[in-house]
Amino acid sequence: MGRYVIRRLLQMIPVFIGSTFLIFFMVYALGDPVAALFGDKAPDPAVAARIRAELYLDQPLWKQYLHYMGQILTGDFGTAFTGQPVLELMGDAFPVTLRLTIVAVAFEVVVGIVLGVVSGLRRGRAADTSVLMVTLIVVSIPTFVSGYLLQYLFGVKWAVVSPSVPPEATFAELLLPGAVLGLVSLAYVTRLTRTSLAENARADYIRTAVAKGLPRHRIVVRHLLRNSLIPVITFIGADIGALMGGAIVTERIFNIHGVGYQLYQGILRQNSPTVVGFVTVLVLVFLLANLIVDLLYAVLDPRIRHV
Amino acid sequence: MRGGVRSRAGAALCVVGLVATAAAGCGGGVDQRAVGVVRASWGDPQNALEPANTNEVQGGKVLDLIFRGLKRYDPRTGAAENMLAEKIESDDAQNFTVHLKDGWAFSNGEKVTAQSFVDAWNYAALVDNRQKNAAFFAYVDGYEKVHPVRGEATAKTLSGLAVKDPRTFTVKLRTKFSTWPDTLGYPAFAPLPRAFFEDHERWLRKPVGNGPYAIDAYTRGSVMRLSRWDGYPGPDKAENTGVELRVYTDNNTAYTDLQAGNIDLVDDIPSTQLRNVRKDLGNRYINQPAGIIQTLVFPLYDERWSKPGMEKVRRGLSMAIDREQITRRIYRGTRTPAGDWTSPVLGEKGGYQAGLCGEVCTYDPGRAKQLIREGGGLPGGRVTLTSNVDTGSHRVWMDAVCNSVNNALGDDHACTVNPVGTFADFRNKITQQRVTGLFRSGWQMDYPLIQNFLQPTYYTDASSNYGKFSDARFDRLVDEANAESDTGKAVAKFRDAERVLTALMPAIPLWYQNGNAGYTGDLSDVTLNQFSVPVYERIKVK
């Protein structure tokens, strides 16, 4: 087990280097961002040259990359064009997005698994059919449509919540955006749980458990659900990274100043230090989430324990 | 008060909602606000908020709240009026003496003196400080020493500036520039307190100025809270107790928040809402011209566009664009078809003349086709339009303009669009002269002077003359206008220069951009100035 973890951690190094280089290359290949800092006016050549030198933009790309990686290893993510250290931006943005992601994941886990169990145990009946119908609809609606719609209904029409989230962004304030963010994944979780449950319900060990005369709730929770959740956990694990990065749309709609907001601003202004820095952290989150998922397998099913 | 009723009903619904679905968040406190504070939408400023380093509207808004300069542009007429300046004298339109009024101070108690101005201007001009608006000080004598095009500065201060006594300083310009005092309302010319130089980092986190408001709290990228500064000595004291600027990434959300009564004022109505805005807001919707003009510039650095005879083609293309229809259909009246190269906000006295461009800026497909044929046709038989498409509905109008040109010429392939993904990329292409067809150029005035619309953009080798237009007669008229000490005569000369543009058409005027704003019933006396920025200090809160 310990060796497995170490091997996985070592594997993360080339993935990390490769992905950061790709991001770096793509963002910087877009060209010189300094011209845009001057708006519709011509850049002052002397000032532009100074800014370029300060941001290390006057060097060849490979040198810029080495310089950047060197900085990152010492914990310095550079400075955004606004003069703020990127680390400071991250300190503001990541907690907000983390809270949003927690709300979204909690939402999709609780509601998704409950719905999946309900429909999985009642295959072919009315409850099952209607859950499938609803998930089909949810999957086919893009986030920005459901986002604007729910924002309008809850925020303006019924005035239950504020349509935008204040800068503090507490858990309570993030309930609606979190639900919107988790909505599509929720449908997948429901369908995965249902299918997996339906498959395992016919397995021998379940028949044995029934024959032993175990109470029904124990059969469902201890035997059926535990085995059926493996694909669901895989999905949720991969989804955590996707949700954090994919929060751009949701954060924009509800005016949440998190990772999505910073990435959006960074791309719009071609603010390379911000974009590369944030994506680098997202890559790390993604890698870690995947590692944790793999480790959880072993907990759920001792047979897949890696040696 | 509508907000109060809503919040009570909201709280009641909130409990029900939580029990029923657990999906309704009940954020407390969002509807409560301090008495008399204007809650307004804001965009994240691009730079740290230094007066000489801010060249976009969002940062400019704050500077306008916390700074007052020598002059200020009347928000209604646009006329440059003395603010801190008692008088600015000159005998030769080149050497100026500035006298300051007594009794002005920064909100931290420090007095505003001649030194506050001279220090601020020297800081702005010095190349080491990397101020984006440094070029505004290029008229002052000694600029090339503190701001060389390359290499190190050979002087730390502008030789053209000298402090005479605490309330007087002199300015020597490099050339004659009679309307120079009228440029001094631009925020880059604001005075700076000692705190700015002594602890720069700290000042940037919470800027201190001499305007009607002082900053209470600033969370970068999120919100800025300002309150009325009661010691403000100026005539334009704030009518409200403060302003809260909230950063919105999406103007749709700001508009939704306005509808929900969550904020009071938005100054950027999303284009998708223009259809409903009159129904939603009635007379609380403002749509008025601002000092912004959009043009299509010809790349005259490309010989195919600049060879003799091509002016006919350029004029013909201008006549092939149906500005009237495009501004009505696409922009729903938030743009006004342009009839010259300036802006209506200047007024007749300031140099704007309706229809100066004449028939050349009027849609006439028949004549357009004829002119283009006489001029030898489009280079290569076709033309492309280039613009960034990440903001401003640019893609939509580009398609419309191309359609209009294609219809006029009876050729479906005469005009195509070349959309560029980001503004940064677009600006790069322009400054590196990599565009071979027509490209968009938006010009937002720095100060309401006809000079600001013509000289930086069309004078030979001027800083923002991206098409590399060059005409001796135009340059001579601009020089003469600048040397003219009588404002009326200077404006007339500038108009003559503008007529040269009508004949040579280096850029096609498309439309003047309007300022848009909407507000809730809790506010009154909301107006926009010529820069399409709300005049916050005049807003009254019920």
Side-chain angles (χ1 to χ4, degrees):
Chain A
M1 188 71 185
R3 271 172 62 195
Y4 172 69
V5 173
I6 290 168
R7 205 172 66 212
R8 282 297 308 265
L9 285 172
L10 286 178
Q11 276 172 0
M12 279 164 70
I13 295 171
V15 176
F16 178 72
I17 293 176
S19 50
T20 46
F21 181 75
L22 274 180
I23 300 151
F24 193 86
F25 185 75
M26 283 191 286
V27 175
Y28 280 77
L30 282 173
D32 176 15
V34 176
L37 292 179
F38 291 82
D40 284 316
K41 287 212 186 74
D44 185 315
V47 174
R50 298 268 171 146
I51 295 176
R52 258 182 222 119
E54 192 196 39
L55 297 173
Y56 221 73
L57 288 170
D58 51 352
Q59 303 287 330
L61 191 66
W62 64 270
K63 259 193 177 170
Q64 290 188 32
Y65 179 70
L66 286 185
H67 173 79
Y68 184 77
M69 288 310 279
Q71 265 191 335
I72 284 191
L73 290 180
T74 60
D76 177 9
F77 277 82
T79 310
F81 295 161
T82 48
Q84 276 171 292
V86 173
L87 220 49
E88 198 180 302
L89 293 177
M90 289 179 180
D92 290 341
F94 271 100
V96 174
T97 300
L98 194 67
R99 282 200 289 274
L100 181 68
T101 314
I102 289 173
V103 173
V105 170
F107 180 68
E108 76 184 59
V109 166
V110 174
V111 183
I113 291 182
V114 167
L115 283 180
V117 169
V118 166
S119 63
L121 293 178
R122 291 180 172 69
R123 285 187 310 283
R125 284 192 256 165
D128 182 31
T129 325
S130 41
V131 166
L132 282 183
M133 286 275 286
V134 171
T135 52
L136 190 68
I137 294 170
V138 167
V139 168
S140 57
I141 298 176
T143 305
F144 73 90
V145 176
S146 56
Y148 278 124
L149 189 73
L150 293 179
Q151 180 190 44
Y152 178 74
L153 290 178
F154 284 96
V156 180
K157 195 122 190 264
W158 303 326
V160 185
V161 293
S162 153
S164 70
V165 175
E168 301 80 32
T170 58
F171 275 110
E173 289 156 349
L174 288 170
L175 281 179
L176 181 63
V180 168
L181 179 62
L183 212 51
V184 173
S185 305
L186 168 112
Y188 286 119
V189 168
T190 304
R191 293 197 145 210
L192 268 176
T193 313
R194 175 196 177 267
T195 314
S196 178
L197 216 65
E199 230 166 66
N200 287 332
R202 278 191 291 267
D204 290 345
Y205 67 89
I206 296 295
R207 208 169 25 193
T208 312
V210 174
K212 274 200 297 188
L214 285 179
R216 188 177 154 80
H217 72 90
R218 196 168 161 80
I219 297 173
V220 172
V221 176
R222 293 288 297 178
H223 295 259
L224 188 51
L225 207 51
R226 181 163 170 171
N227 280 303
S228 308
L229 281 186
I230 290 176
V232 179
I233 297 240
T234 318
F235 174 78
I236 292 171
D239 205 36
I240 291 172
L243 284 179
M244 287 192 92
I248 288 192
V249 178
T250 318
E251 291 193 355
R252 204 179 133 106
I253 293 172
F254 293 96
N255 202 39
I256 301 167
H257 298 266
V259 171
Y261 164 77
Q262 292 294 351
L263 273 177
Y264 176 77
Q265 292 279 344
I267 292 167
L268 208 64
R269 291 178 183 167
Q270 219 171 312
N271 201 338
S272 330
T274 316
V275 177
V276 181
F278 272 81
V279 176
T280 304
V281 174
L282 283 180
V283 167
L284 283 176
V285 170
F286 222 94
L287 291 173
L288 280 176
N290 271 310
L291 179 68
I292 291 170
V293 167
D294 285 359
L295 296 181
L296 268 182
Y297 277 175
V299 177
L300 283 172
D301 186 350
R303 283 175 307 171
I304 346 178
R305 194 160 289 171
H306 305 261
V307 265
Chain B
M1 237 178 79
R2 224 183 60 227
V5 176
R6 254 168 196 268
S7 60
R8 266 197 302 281
L13 265 172
C14 206
V15 179
V16 180
L18 269 177
V19 174
T21 62
C26 294
V30 281
D31 266 352
Q32 292 147 19
R33 63 150 144 191
V35 179
V37 170
V38 180
R39 299 166 304 172
S41 70
W42 192 31
D44 194 16
Q46 197 176 31
N47 315 302
L49 292 167
E50 295 169 286
N53 204 23
T54 299
N55 58 359
E56 38 81 52
V57 179
Q58 303 305 339
K61 273 181 198 169
V62 177
L63 295 183
D64 198 46
L65 289 164
I66 62 167
F67 276 109
R68 285 295 179 265
L70 291 170
K71 295 243 180 189
R72 178 168 167 80
Y73 305 111
D74 185 299
R76 211 165 32 81
T77 62
E81 283 162 0
N82 283 341
M83 186 51 96
L84 264 72
E86 198 167 69
K87 55 184 189 251
I88 301 173
E89 299 169 317
S90 175
D91 304 327
D92 55 359
Q94 190 167 359
N95 290 286
F96 293 85
T97 308
V98 181
H99 302 274
L100 296 179
K101 281 180 192 158
D102 196 15
W104 280 79
F106 293 99
S107 58
N108 63 3
E110 186 189 327
K111 288 201 83 166
V112 183
T113 62
Q115 198 68 46
S116 319
F117 281 97
V118 171
D119 286 348
W121 294 9
N122 279 326
Y123 180 86
L126 186 62
V127 68
D128 299 342
N129 296 326
R130 304 186 312 271
Q131 300 288 293
K132 297 195 183 79
N133 291 333
F136 281 89
F137 301 88
Y139 300 109
V140 181
D141 206 34
Y143 180 74
E144 66 287 342
K145 286 231 173 68
V146 299
H147 199 108
V149 177
R150 51 180 61 81
E152 293 297 311
T154 51
K156 292 277 175 211
T157 54
L158 289 159
S159 60
L161 298 178
V163 177
K164 293 285 162 222
D165 64 63
R167 279 171 53 199
T168 320
F169 68 101
T170 57
V171 185
K172 181 170 186 282
L173 300 185
R174 285 201 292 189
T175 54
K176 287 179 186 291
F177 187 0
S178 62
T179 48
W180 178 77
D182 286 351
T183 68
L184 298 176
Y186 189 73
F189 295 102
L192 287 170
R194 288 308 308 160
F196 177 88
F197 304 99
E198 281 155 10
D199 192 347
H200 194 217
E201 280 300 312
R202 198 167 137 219
W203 191 91
L204 286 182
R205 279 199 294 278
K206 199 173 150 188
V208 172
N210 65 331
Y213 292 91
I215 296 174
D216 289 338
Y218 179 21
T219 314
R220 283 219 220 163
S222 287
V223 65
M224 179 184 272
R225 294 191 174 89
L226 302 109
S227 61
R228 175 169 64 199
W229 174 37
D230 289 320
Y232 178 67
D236 50 346
K237 278 189 198 303
E239 301 277 351
N240 45 61
T241 61
V243 177
E244 183 181 317
L245 298 171
R246 288 196 203 162
V247 173
Y248 284 89
T249 345
D250 186 347
N251 56 6
N252 272 302
T253 309
Y255 191 77
T256 311
D257 258 357
L258 182 80
Q259 283 180 305
N262 209 3
I263 57 169
D264 308 307
L265 169 67
V266 292
D267 57 0
D268 179 21
I269 307 278
S271 54
T272 46
Q273 298 288 357
L274 287 175
R275 222 160 2 119
N276 316 320
V277 67
R278 289 218 178 270
K279 195 179 78 218
D280 289 347
L281 299 175
N283 55 8
R284 288 180 282 111
Y285 166 59
I286 304 175
N287 175 29
Q288 68 179 49
I292 309 169
I293 183 169
Q294 296 285 347
T295 58
L296 277 174
V297 178
F298 288 98
L300 299 178
Y301 48 77
D302 185 336
E303 197 261 334
R304 295 179 306 159
W305 282 107
S306 57
K307 65 185 181 211
M310 281 308 276
E311 68 277 359
K312 280 197 172 164
V313 178
R314 301 199 294 262
R315 285 157 62 98
L317 273 171
S318 170
M319 297 178 81
I321 299 169
D322 193 347
R323 299 169 177 78
E324 200 69 54
Q325 200 186 27
I326 295 170
T327 50
R328 194 158 31 88
R329 290 260 178 92
I330 294 175
Y331 286 115
R332 296 189 179 264
T334 58
R335 305 285 188 278
T336 311
D340 79 336
W341 285 266
T342 67
S343 163
V345 301
L346 294 180
E348 287 284 330
K349 233 177 85 205
Y352 167 72
Q353 188 178 340
L356 178 132
C357 176
E359 53 152 27
V360 203
C361 292
T362 318
Y363 181 56
D364 186 346
R367 182 100 180 94
K369 198 172 177 180
Q370 187 196 349
L371 271 173
I372 292 174
R373 199 176 333 109
E374 282 173 20
L378 300 172
R382 53 196 305 180
V383 60
T384 55
L385 307 184
T386 305
S387 167
N388 59 314
V389 289
D390 47 354
T391 54
S393 322
H394 290 317
R395 175 79 208 225
V396 189
W397 72 254
M398 285 207 292
D399 284 335
V401 165
C402 258
N403 262 328
S404 182
V405 170
N406 288 344
N407 287 340
L409 299 184
D411 174 0
D412 277 350
H413 305 288
C415 177
T416 47
V417 297
N418 172 26
V420 180
T422 63
F423 183 66
D425 194 15
F426 172 61
R427 293 303 307 169
N428 271 327
K429 289 198 161 79
I430 289 181
T431 44
Q432 294 169 13
Q433 306 192 352
R434 293 209 316 259
V435 185
T436 53
L438 281 161
F439 56 88
R440 177 186 75 85
S441 184
W443 184 256
Q444 166 138 28
M445 66 177 186
D446 305 308
Y447 29 82
L449 286 183
I450 185 169
Q451 179 267 347
N452 188 240
F453 281 93
L454 301 181
Q455 192 169 355
T457 43
Y458 304 109
Y459 194 83
T460 302
D461 286 330
S463 58
S464 298
N465 183 351
Y466 303 115
K468 294 290 159 206
F469 171 70
S470 175
D471 181 72
R473 202 166 102 81
F474 179 86
D475 291 356
R476 202 187 67 237
L477 285 165
V478 168
D479 288 340
E480 285 174 17
N482 278 330
E484 190 65 70
S485 52
D486 179 84
T487 314
K489 283 183 190 152
V491 166
K493 285 272 189 209
F494 274 119
R495 269 199 195 130
D496 290 340
E498 207 183 342
R499 288 194 185 91
V500 175
L501 301 182
T502 309
L504 297 178
M505 193 60 76
I508 299 175
L510 290 174
W511 34 76
Y512 312 117
Q513 197 159 318
N514 288 10
N516 277 295
Y519 54 98
T520 61
D522 290 347
L523 302 187
S524 63
D525 296 76
V526 182
T527 51
L528 298 179
N529 65 16
Q530 296 79 25
F531 305 93
S532 74
V533 171
V535 189
Y536 293 100
E537 70 271 9
R538 291 198 182 174
I539 298 174
K540 292 194 179 89
V541 183
K542 273 172 205 155

